[in-house]
Amino acid sequence: MTATLTREPQHVGPLATRLNGILASRGIDPATAIAGEPPTEPVTALELADGRIPARYRRALASHPQITAWAEQTAEAGRPGPGGPGIAEGRSLLITGPTGTGKTHQAYGAIRALLGRGVRLRWEGTTTADLYARLRPRAGHDTERDLQTLARSPLLLLDDLGAAKASEWTEELTYRLINHRYEHLLPTLITTNLPTRELRDALGDRVASRLAEMTERVILTGPDRRRRTAPSA
Ligand SMILES: Nc1ncnc2c1ncn2[C@@H]1O[C@H](COP(=O)(O)OP(=O)(O)OP(=O)(O)O)[C@@H](O)[C@H]1O
Ligand SMILES: [Mg+2]
């Protein structure tokens, strides 16, 4: 899928910031790009998504066979639409493994694989700790609406489930989020460091039971990849 954006010099606004970044990554100075001049190459959905993917995972490639199979199946199941196939109801993945085994990398790799296959994808991604911070009730902010946005998103990446400190409030919130996705068969990518039993203790039985039914478990093993490479950032 390609975006139908006209390139204008020095675009302004959040989408424009991303577009300027894409132009810059192609070695084109946005300030000197000529308004109305047709782009040499169309801007792809994958490039547009880059700005929403954390920098560390911007080039992530899903390599685990269960994850590539999931991306392939999810892309093929997509509903036809004017801008390319959309994401449909489907399976979810629970990516588990110790620290640094590449769970988040594989999850963003899966999203990139869908975008690369031209799936017209609306997706949301958050760590659970950020989710709880974002949804904490506060004056002047409609947190219920934020919860609905995440719950209804056609694809959701819920990173580090079970890592944040639990309370009755976090349990209820996680339950509402997971239950909505469970009931509506919405594809969800979940990563966690916790083994099954600890996940159940951390999230409560109602969430654990739904996850057992709605997700395929992907187990990553191996050393902490962060400690194997020389630090770069
Ligand atoms: N298949 C891969 N190829 C290259 N680099 C990888 C791969 N998988 C992971 N990495 C790199 O290894 C590091 C750890 O990966 P990642 O953050 O995905 O681990 P994680 O399992 O999510 O860890 P945590 O449990 O702490 O959240 C990152 O720098 C990531 O970019
Ligand atoms: Mg991670």
Side-chain angles (χ1 to χ4, degrees):
M1 170 190 158
T2 58
T4 51
L5 285 170
T6 310
R7 286 181 181 151
E8 289 170 0
Q10 292 175 303
H11 309 274
V12 188
L15 182 63
T17 306
R18 270 192 270 152
L19 191 54
N20 285 340
I22 292 166
L23 290 174
S25 74
R26 290 182 176 181
I28 301 168
D29 178 0
T32 58
I34 301 163
E37 184 183 273
T40 44
E41 279 173 57
V43 175
T44 64
L46 189 54
E47 283 179 302
L48 277 174
D50 271 0
R52 298 185 53 213
I53 295 177
R56 186 168 298 281
Y57 305 108
R58 217 162 270 167
R59 300 285 169 264
L61 288 178
S63 53
H64 191 285
Q66 275 174 280
I67 294 178
T68 49
W70 174 88
E72 205 164 301
Q73 201 176 44
T74 305
E76 274 167 16
R79 296 192 202 95
I87 195 161
E89 293 155 2
R91 291 187 309 147
S92 295
L93 294 180
L94 181 65
I95 307 169
T96 72
T99 298
T101 46
K103 300 177 294 295
T104 307
H105 179 99
Q106 294 291 327
Y108 277 112
I111 292 175
R112 296 186 70 247
L114 287 177
L115 293 166
R117 291 184 61 128
V119 174
R120 186 172 41 86
L121 189 57
R122 275 196 298 121
W123 63 279
E124 296 285 339
T126 180
T127 64
T128 340
D130 284 346
L131 168 82
Y132 299 150
R134 180 170 159 190
L135 299 184
R136 202 161 290 285
R138 56 194 190 279
H141 196 86
D142 190 353
T143 50
E144 184 61 29
R145 197 167 141 198
D146 282 353
L147 174 62
Q148 293 304 326
T149 302
L150 293 166
R152 293 176 182 168
S153 175
L155 178 70
L156 175 67
L157 163 57
L158 201 51
D159 201 14
D160 266 338
L161 186 62
K165 197 166 164 9
S167 67
E168 247 178 63
W169 179 77
T170 59
E171 243 181 63
E172 189 56 26
L173 199 110
T174 313
Y175 169 75
R176 289 185 59 202
L177 183 63
I178 296 292
N179 187 54
H180 183 92
R181 304 197 66 84
Y182 169 81
E183 287 187 348
H184 297 273
L185 301 172
L186 294 174
T188 310
L189 296 166
I190 299 164
T191 78
T192 184
N193 279 359
L194 299 181
T196 312
R197 176 188 294 240
E198 285 178 41
L199 197 61
R200 193 173 59 225
D201 291 346
L203 303 173
D205 213 24
R206 290 182 306 165
V207 171
S209 163
R210 282 161 179 77
L211 289 182
E213 186 181 352
M214 72 192 261
T215 64
E216 179 187 336
R217 186 172 293 256
V218 181
I219 301 170
L220 299 188
T221 54
D224 181 346
R225 286 173 173 269
R226 295 190 186 101
R227 297 182 195 279
R228 285 202 317 178
T229 51
S232 58

